[in-house]
Amino acid sequence: MYPLTIGLVIETKELWDEVHSTLQELSVRIVIEQHELGDLAEFLGRVERLRPEVMILEVLKLREPMEHVVARIKAGSMDPMVIALHNTGEPELILRALRAGAHEFLHPPLKANLQQALERKSLEQKKTREHLRQKGKVLGFLSAKGGCGATTIACHTAAELGRQGMRVLLADMDFEAGMIRFLMKTKSPYSVLDALNHLHRLDQSYWNALISNGLPGLEIIASPEALPSKQQPNQEQMQHILTFCRGQYDLSIVDLGRGLSLTTMNALDEIDETYLITTLDVPALHRSKQIIQALSSLGYGRERLRLVLNRMPQRLDITPDELENMMSLPVFATLPNDYPSLYEAYSKGSLLAANSRLSKELNSMAIKVAGIQKEKSEKKRFFTLRLRDQTNAH
Ligand SMILES: Nc1ncnc2c1ncn2[C@@H]1O[C@H](COP(=O)(O)OP(=O)(O)OP(=O)(O)O)[C@@H](O)[C@H]1O
Ligand SMILES: [Mg+2]
């Protein structure tokens, strides 16, 4: 069952107990739980913030007319499924509740009917989610430890795929040290935080006011200018914003910063593939291994993880096979060390010039990211040759 978020407003003890014992057996998370509605405006604010997908309301215990309350709940951005509860099944009341817009009217014994209603909603949410998934891909770029090159690679990959004709978003979700605003010279003063704080009005036109553009096919949303940001998005907010992005772009490239931050953990469900960027120094490799293990133990399948070796040194103390064995993950791409070209580009306020070797390698990696896959054995041979070339060249 696709896990649902639930809000409860139930005063009568018997109904409260029965609902709780039913929910205990289902895959749900209760985000609002109160005996009384209290102030309606405050309550609606809570619904906007906590975004329950299902609202279970004991209808006759409300201080305001049921019609008014239900209509206001449904008018919010979440438009949850409303289940009206009462301890009797008076036909007139059922009619009133359904006319008011409630999706279900339940009375004891609740268990079987409540279970069925929630399973229906869960299936519906799952289908919507799958439909949205078909729309675009969300790719995370994660630095194994600070400074491995995740931001550099995310920016170049996004720019190249935009140039290739895809509709691409570059989103800076590094709330601690976001650099995309600076590197890509974005003009918009807004950030991901503005989107997060206005999820209830997040639509195409609001989004257009937040993003920057300038390069073909590429739109950018920066992280907050003030660092580190005091606000970190929670899982629901991450899910909401990334689902929105998925619907708007062929590819959303998300800079997740370094290590497994809370933001990254909250985003994981919506990240189809994570590109783990590491250098070959021992601390970075150690951290990479930890991240790979932590992600697999959280159920993030290894097939969704791509290992990228950046700033390849001229001389290697480890063979490719040893490295892949050590990480229990194949190497997706390797990128040469070319600090002077990057330094020159960034000093001019631009991305790498097309003729540098690093730029060429970044572009072929971008093509591969977009789905043009080399055959596996060929990839391995290519990798081995590259390493051999580099070792011989020294
Ligand atoms: N292939 C490369 N060759 C040489 N220098 C590189 C390469 N990739 C990145 N760099 C340099 O390494 C530094 C760190 O890069 P970047 O900011 O992209 O890393 P990051 O992983 O995003 O770091 P942070 O942890 O701060 O977010 C920058 O100065 C960048 O120019
Ligand atoms: Mg970075």
Side-chain angles (χ1 to χ4, degrees):
M1 178 175 168
Y2 165 89
L4 290 172
T5 47
I6 310 257
L8 300 178
V9 183
I10 306 173
E11 195 175 327
T12 307
K13 186 172 180 315
E14 295 72 44
L15 290 175
W16 175 275
D17 291 344
E18 211 180 333
V19 167
H20 272 87
S21 86
T22 309
L23 295 185
Q24 255 172 22
E25 294 166 21
L26 299 174
S27 164
V28 298
R29 198 157 66 83
I30 301 175
V31 290
I32 298 177
E33 191 174 21
Q34 50 197 70
H35 292 290
E36 285 179 19
L37 195 72
D39 178 74
L40 182 59
E42 257 176 45
F43 177 75
L44 293 171
R46 206 164 305 132
V47 172
E48 279 302 323
R49 264 196 332 280
L50 301 168
R51 312 184 62 76
E53 289 158 308
V54 180
M55 199 63 237
I56 304 181
L57 277 182
E58 183 178 358
V59 279
L60 272 197
K61 296 282 178 164
L62 304 172
R63 258 188 249 143
E64 306 207 21
M66 156 176 57
E67 285 76 2
H68 181 56
V69 175
V70 173
R72 292 290 303 275
I73 292 175
K74 296 191 68 202
S77 65
M78 192 63 192
D79 188 14
M81 172 191 217
V82 176
I83 299 182
L85 285 190
H86 189 247
N87 42 15
T88 66
E90 292 164 31
E92 197 190 324
L93 191 59
I94 298 181
L95 211 60
R96 262 186 67 201
L98 297 180
R99 278 204 187 122
H103 298 80
E104 301 275 343
F105 183 100
L106 303 181
H107 54 90
L110 292 173
K111 194 171 177 126
N113 289 336
L114 181 56
Q115 216 162 352
Q116 268 175 23
L118 294 178
E119 274 163 8
R120 251 198 325 276
K121 177 70 179 174
S122 159
L123 198 68
E124 196 183 290
Q125 294 293 85
K126 186 167 170 246
K127 279 193 187 145
T128 315
R129 193 103 175 267
E130 277 167 4
H131 175 70
L132 285 168
R133 270 193 197 286
Q134 283 163 6
K135 285 198 156 179
K137 263 191 168 179
V138 181
L139 310 178
F141 282 67
L142 183 65
S143 192
K145 69 169 187 44
C148 289
T151 303
T152 305
I153 298 174
C155 291
H156 284 85
T157 305
E160 174 61 13
L161 294 178
R163 211 176 59 84
Q164 296 281 341
M166 299 184 87
R167 283 176 308 137
V168 182
L169 171 73
L170 176 61
D172 196 346
M173 299 281 187
D174 182 352
F175 286 76
E176 271 151 28
M179 281 292 279
I180 288 180
R181 180 186 295 280
F182 172 73
L183 291 181
M184 302 300 281
K185 305 278 170 285
T186 61
K187 290 188 188 71
S188 166
Y190 300 109
S191 78
V192 182
L193 209 55
D194 295 287
L196 289 167
N197 288 334
H198 297 92
L199 284 177
H200 57 286
R201 52 182 287 216
L202 187 56
D203 59 14
Q204 176 102 53
S205 68
Y206 186 69
W207 182 255
N208 286 345
L210 303 182
I211 52 106
S212 301
N213 46 27
L215 289 175
L218 179 62
E219 294 186 344
I220 300 173
I221 185 143
S223 64
E225 199 139 22
L227 293 173
S229 166
K230 290 196 191 97
Q231 200 182 330
Q232 303 264 340
N234 65 29
Q235 196 172 3
E236 256 95 25
Q237 290 172 317
M238 263 334 229
Q239 209 167 63
H240 187 125
I241 195 165
L242 292 176
T243 305
F244 174 82
C245 296
R246 191 189 289 288
Q248 304 289 316
Y249 300 93
D250 297 327
L251 272 187
S252 301
I253 293 189
V254 183
D255 185 345
L256 294 168
R258 59 183 73 171
L260 288 181
S261 66
L262 192 61
T263 308
T264 298
M265 302 299 275
N266 285 338
L268 273 184
D269 267 0
E270 285 302 324
I271 307 261
D272 301 307
E273 290 161 15
T274 299
Y275 291 79
L276 177 61
I277 317 297
T278 185
T279 46
L280 272 106
D281 54 300
V282 173
L285 289 176
H286 171 71
R287 190 39 61 80
S288 300
K289 194 173 160 74
Q290 276 184 322
I291 292 175
I292 294 166
Q293 282 170 345
L295 287 177
S296 341
S297 68
L298 286 168
Y300 195 86
R302 278 171 205 253
E303 73 288 350
R304 291 164 75 189
L305 263 175
R306 312 268 185 271
L307 184 62
V308 177
L309 307 180
N310 190 25
R311 308 191 74 164
M312 292 288 285
Q314 298 274 307
R315 196 186 284 278
L316 285 164
D317 302 328
I318 185 165
T319 67
D321 282 344
E322 277 170 348
L323 193 80
E324 292 189 346
N325 280 342
M326 181 177 143
M327 296 294 159
S328 318
L329 202 66
V331 173
F332 179 82
T334 63
L335 296 165
N337 192 11
D338 187 357
Y339 190 72
S341 302
L342 272 173
Y343 182 83
E344 194 189 331
Y346 288 153
S347 324
K348 283 198 239 148
S350 61
L351 293 178
L352 281 169
N355 57 4
S356 75
R357 171 150 167 250
L358 179 56
S359 166
K360 287 185 184 133
E361 299 282 345
L362 278 163
N363 290 350
S364 26
M365 173 176 153
I367 300 279
K368 199 168 161 191
V369 166
I372 305 164
Q373 299 277 352
K374 281 197 168 74
E375 209 234 306
K376 211 169 178 202
S377 59
E378 195 188 325
K379 184 183 81 183
K380 190 136 182 175
R381 190 163 46 99
F382 172 73
F383 174 55
T384 315
L385 286 174
R386 278 273 322 275
L387 286 174
R388 207 174 293 142
D389 280 345
Q390 282 168 349
T391 320
N392 291 342
H394 201 74

